[in-house]
Amino acid sequence: MKILALIPARMGSGRFPGKPMAKILGKPMIGHVYERVSVSPFLNLTAVATCDREIYEYIESIGGRAVMTGSHHERASDRCAEALELLENEMSITFDIVVMIQGD
């Protein structure tokens, strides 16, 4: 079984703009979430699905995997569906299980 964890993240939250990059104990929230999810022994891959270059570059800078998606998505599930398609095409595999993890 191939299991993928996707963490949708965007800077444009109406209630808390920039929330994924807000620091908690000196580290962006999205970094805490990514690092904790990626240690699971059950996952083959953990990736952040984002339409924001700042989030993408941060995740890549900590050695993580990020996927750039379109900015038109209204729901996190739509963003994750696009990221899943991009990853499966790039990696030439099909994931059996996809877990969407809300970081906030």
Side-chain angles (χ1 to χ4, degrees):
M1 299 276 289
K2 295 178 188 80
I3 304 173
L4 168 66
L6 284 173
I7 306 165
R10 65 185 185 98
M11 296 294 282
S13 168
R15 292 173 292 160
F16 186 171
K19 180 171 43 176
M21 295 301 289
K23 297 218 173 158
I24 301 171
L25 300 173
K27 180 188 297 186
M29 181 187 75
I30 193 67
H32 286 284
V33 175
Y34 181 86
E35 289 173 358
R36 281 164 180 74
V37 171
S38 64
V39 299
S40 172
F42 301 104
L43 302 171
N44 298 97
L45 179 64
T46 299
V48 173
T50 187
C51 60
D52 294 294
R53 178 68 48 196
E54 182 179 2
I55 294 170
Y56 180 92
E57 289 175 358
Y58 170 72
I59 293 298
E60 294 280 320
S61 78
I62 63 170
R65 180 65 189 261
V67 179
M68 282 300 292
T69 62
S71 59
H72 62 282
H73 299 297
E74 293 183 26
R75 289 175 278 298
S77 56
D78 296 331
R79 184 171 314 288
C80 286
E82 181 186 354
L84 171 63
E85 184 177 347
L86 291 168
L87 286 168
E88 286 185 332
N89 287 338
E90 177 187 317
M91 300 172 72
S92 298
I93 63 170
T94 300
F95 287 97
D96 300 299
I97 298 173
V98 179
V99 180
M100 182 174 69
I101 296 159
Q102 297 287 344
D104 59 350

